[in-house]
Amino acid sequence: MAAKSNVTEIIFLGFSQNQGAQKVISVLFLLLYVAILLGNGLIVVTIMAGKGLTSPMYLFLSYLSLAEICYCSVTAPKLILDSFMERKVISLKGCITQIFFLHFFGGTEIFLLTLMAYDRYVAICKPLHYTVVMNQRACGLLVGAAWGGGLLHSVGQTVLIFQLPLCGPKVLDHYFCDVHPVLKLACSDTFLISVLIITNGGSISVVSFTGLLASYVVILRSLRTQTSEGWRKALSTCASHLAVVALFFVPCSFVYMRPCVTLPADKIVAVFYTVVTPLLNPVIYSFRNAEVQNALRRLMGRKGSW
């Protein structure tokens, strides 16, 4: 790629050119990033150390939290450091690497969220078959498939970008490298590449989101015979899960399901699926869960006794 491209580095415009605003944004993102690391890291440690959290749901949740930490770490540290730099620069190889890991961990997160919805569907709608369907070997294969699916998705997106000759301008109106902004730097026809990128990225978001919605609808319908209190509890849980899922999938669909053009709103939209969702997931999926709360208390008590 370097032999065919005139671009060797890329300059980010970020959120603002005002130095004061950049410092405020940097501090805000630093606080959010630390909260994401602490929240999701605590979930991983609690599930790994907690003897009672052995069901498939917690296995998927621990890997989701791990993927969230990695996903946010692809973009947030660079943004925080760039806020203190006069020129926000990334090398071309660094840009391609950022695209690879962004889509690797993002794709993995999509598949893990889908697995978690499927796990809840089997547990609630087919409880007698749950231990057979979601046995240890099957769960291991499903987790492996989620990471493998994220890898295949990422390789596809990266290869499509990697083969393009880039000739500038070398400025991106964004705070990280992604497929659509980088396509604007290409000096060849990108129509076919754009279609393939939309097919690869957008279709995964839409199909997975549709599957998630369908699973939660089936779950709620199967609980109609429950008591009013049980129905309200299930509705509250499903609604909170769907809210977080929507915060991730709707912005992703907005970015990756349209023609490969960049909009001023893309930077704000990206914050929802790169920062807000990783921040809210521990609260929605874990800290509201009684078993996780008890495991956290036991873990804190064990550390306090040391």
Side-chain angles (χ1 to χ4, degrees):
M1 184 173 180
K4 297 189 295 182
S5 298
N6 298 326
V7 176
T8 58
E9 64 179 22
I10 293 171
I11 300 171
F12 296 133
L13 293 182
F15 284 102
S16 174
Q17 298 301 302
N18 181 279
Q19 288 293 324
Q22 288 182 31
K23 298 297 188 298
V24 172
I25 292 170
S26 175
V27 171
L28 176 61
F29 271 80
L30 177 61
L31 293 174
L32 293 174
Y33 182 54
V34 170
I36 289 167
L37 293 181
L38 291 177
N40 285 283
L42 188 59
I43 294 305
V44 174
V45 172
T46 301
I47 292 175
M48 300 297 263
K51 297 180 180 180
L53 305 177
T54 57
S55 71
M57 176 179 69
Y58 298 115
L59 174 69
F60 298 146
L61 184 57
S62 65
Y63 280 107
L64 176 67
S65 293
L66 177 62
E68 297 279 27
I69 291 172
C70 297
Y71 185 52
C72 187
S73 298
V74 175
T75 58
K78 175 69 174 166
L79 171 65
I80 294 166
L81 291 175
D82 279 349
S83 298
F84 296 96
M85 305 293 180
E86 188 174 339
R87 293 178 76 247
K88 305 170 183 63
V89 180
I90 188 171
S91 68
L92 183 57
K93 289 182 179 179
C95 182
I96 298 299
T97 302
Q98 193 174 52
I99 290 174
F100 173 81
F101 284 109
L102 181 75
H103 286 270
F104 174 40
F105 295 122
T108 301
E109 182 178 348
I110 287 175
F111 293 125
L112 286 171
L113 286 169
T114 306
L115 284 181
M116 291 174 68
Y118 175 69
D119 173 73
R120 292 299 83 204
Y121 162 75
V122 177
I124 294 173
C125 300
K126 300 181 182 296
L128 298 179
H129 301 91
Y130 182 72
T131 55
V132 176
V133 175
M134 303 301 289
N135 60 69
Q136 188 174 5
R137 182 173 179 273
C139 290
L141 289 173
L142 288 172
V143 169
W147 286 92
L151 179 62
L152 287 175
H153 162 68
S154 178
V155 168
Q157 298 291 72
T158 306
V159 167
L160 290 172
I161 291 295
F162 191 80
Q163 63 182 328
L164 285 173
L166 305 181
C167 52
K170 60 179 182 180
V171 177
L172 292 186
D173 187 15
H174 217 302
Y175 65 95
F176 63 85
C177 284
D178 204 356
V179 287
H180 288 187
V182 173
L183 275 176
K184 294 184 68 177
L185 308 184
C187 45
S188 62
D189 181 40
T190 60
F191 175 76
L192 179 59
I193 299 292
S194 300
V195 172
L196 293 174
I197 285 174
I198 293 171
T199 302
N200 183 14
S203 60
I204 290 176
S205 297
V206 171
V207 171
S208 298
F209 187 45
T210 303
L212 281 162
L213 288 176
S215 66
Y216 282 117
V217 168
V218 173
I219 287 172
L220 290 175
R221 289 189 63 182
S222 69
L223 293 174
R224 285 182 301 178
T225 56
Q226 295 273 342
T227 62
S228 59
E229 183 180 350
W231 166 257
R232 283 195 300 270
K233 184 178 179 181
L235 183 61
S236 173
T237 301
C238 288
S240 59
H241 287 192
L242 282 173
V244 174
V245 165
L247 280 174
F248 183 78
F249 280 96
V250 172
C252 282
S253 299
F254 172 78
V255 171
Y256 297 111
M257 276 300 290
R258 67 169 197 257
C260 291
V261 295
T262 56
L263 301 175
D266 285 350
K267 289 181 284 189
I268 303 300
V269 172
V271 171
F272 282 94
Y273 60 83
T274 59
V275 177
V276 175
T277 303
L279 182 67
L280 292 180
N281 271 348
V283 178
I284 298 299
Y285 285 108
S286 304
F287 297 143
R288 296 173 72 236
N289 183 293
E291 291 182 341
V292 174
Q293 290 176 4
N294 292 332
L296 274 170
R297 293 191 191 98
R298 289 195 296 269
L299 182 64
M300 294 298 107
R302 192 187 312 167
K303 288 190 175 183
S305 63
W306 293 348

mmCIF file with all atom_site columns, all heavy atoms in Angstrom, residues 79 207 229:
data_model
loop_
_atom_site.group_PDB
_atom_site.id
_atom_site.type_symbol
_atom_site.label_atom_id
_atom_site.label_alt_id
_atom_site.label_comp_id
_atom_site.label_asym_id
_atom_site.label_entity_id
_atom_site.label_seq_id
_atom_site.pdbx_PDB_ins_code
_atom_site.Cartn_x
_atom_site.Cartn_y
_atom_site.Cartn_z
_atom_site.occupancy
_atom_site.B_iso_or_equiv
_atom_site.pdbx_formal_charge
_atom_site.auth_seq_id
_atom_site.auth_comp_id
_atom_site.auth_asym_id
_atom_site.auth_atom_id
_atom_site.pdbx_PDB_model_num
ATOM 1  N N   . LEU A 1 79  ? -7.379  9.747   21.507 1.00 0.00 ? 79  LEU A N   1
ATOM 2  C CA  . LEU A 1 79  ? -8.095  11.020  21.599 1.00 0.00 ? 79  LEU A CA  1
ATOM 3  C C   . LEU A 1 79  ? -7.613  11.836  22.788 1.00 0.00 ? 79  LEU A C   1
ATOM 4  O O   . LEU A 1 79  ? -7.398  13.048  22.682 1.00 0.00 ? 79  LEU A O   1
ATOM 5  C CB  . LEU A 1 79  ? -9.600  10.766  21.709 1.00 0.00 ? 79  LEU A CB  1
ATOM 6  C CG  . LEU A 1 79  ? -10.468 11.983  22.036 1.00 0.00 ? 79  LEU A CG  1
ATOM 7  C CD1 . LEU A 1 79  ? -10.419 13.006  20.908 1.00 0.00 ? 79  LEU A CD1 1
ATOM 8  C CD2 . LEU A 1 79  ? -11.905 11.572  22.321 1.00 0.00 ? 79  LEU A CD2 1
ATOM 9  N N   . VAL A 1 207 ? -28.792 -7.341  10.735 1.00 0.00 ? 207 VAL A N   1
ATOM 10 C CA  . VAL A 1 207 ? -29.235 -8.726  10.957 1.00 0.00 ? 207 VAL A CA  1
ATOM 11 C C   . VAL A 1 207 ? -29.168 -9.070  12.447 1.00 0.00 ? 207 VAL A C   1
ATOM 12 O O   . VAL A 1 207 ? -30.105 -9.664  13.008 1.00 0.00 ? 207 VAL A O   1
ATOM 13 C CB  . VAL A 1 207 ? -28.383 -9.708  10.127 1.00 0.00 ? 207 VAL A CB  1
ATOM 14 C CG1 . VAL A 1 207 ? -28.693 -11.153 10.523 1.00 0.00 ? 207 VAL A CG1 1
ATOM 15 C CG2 . VAL A 1 207 ? -28.639 -9.507  8.640  1.00 0.00 ? 207 VAL A CG2 1
ATOM 16 N N   . GLU A 1 229 ? -46.378 -8.916  38.613 1.00 0.00 ? 229 GLU A N   1
ATOM 17 C CA  . GLU A 1 229 ? -45.078 -8.506  39.142 1.00 0.00 ? 229 GLU A CA  1
ATOM 18 C C   . GLU A 1 229 ? -43.944 -9.118  38.315 1.00 0.00 ? 229 GLU A C   1
ATOM 19 O O   . GLU A 1 229 ? -42.957 -8.438  37.977 1.00 0.00 ? 229 GLU A O   1
ATOM 20 C CB  . GLU A 1 229 ? -44.942 -8.932  40.604 1.00 0.00 ? 229 GLU A CB  1
ATOM 21 C CG  . GLU A 1 229 ? -43.633 -8.479  41.245 1.00 0.00 ? 229 GLU A CG  1
ATOM 22 C CD  . GLU A 1 229 ? -43.514 -8.921  42.708 1.00 0.00 ? 229 GLU A CD  1
ATOM 23 O OE1 . GLU A 1 229 ? -44.518 -9.408  43.256 1.00 0.00 ? 229 GLU A OE1 1
ATOM 24 O OE2 . GLU A 1 229 ? -42.409 -8.763  43.270 1.00 0.00 ? 229 GLU A OE2 1
#
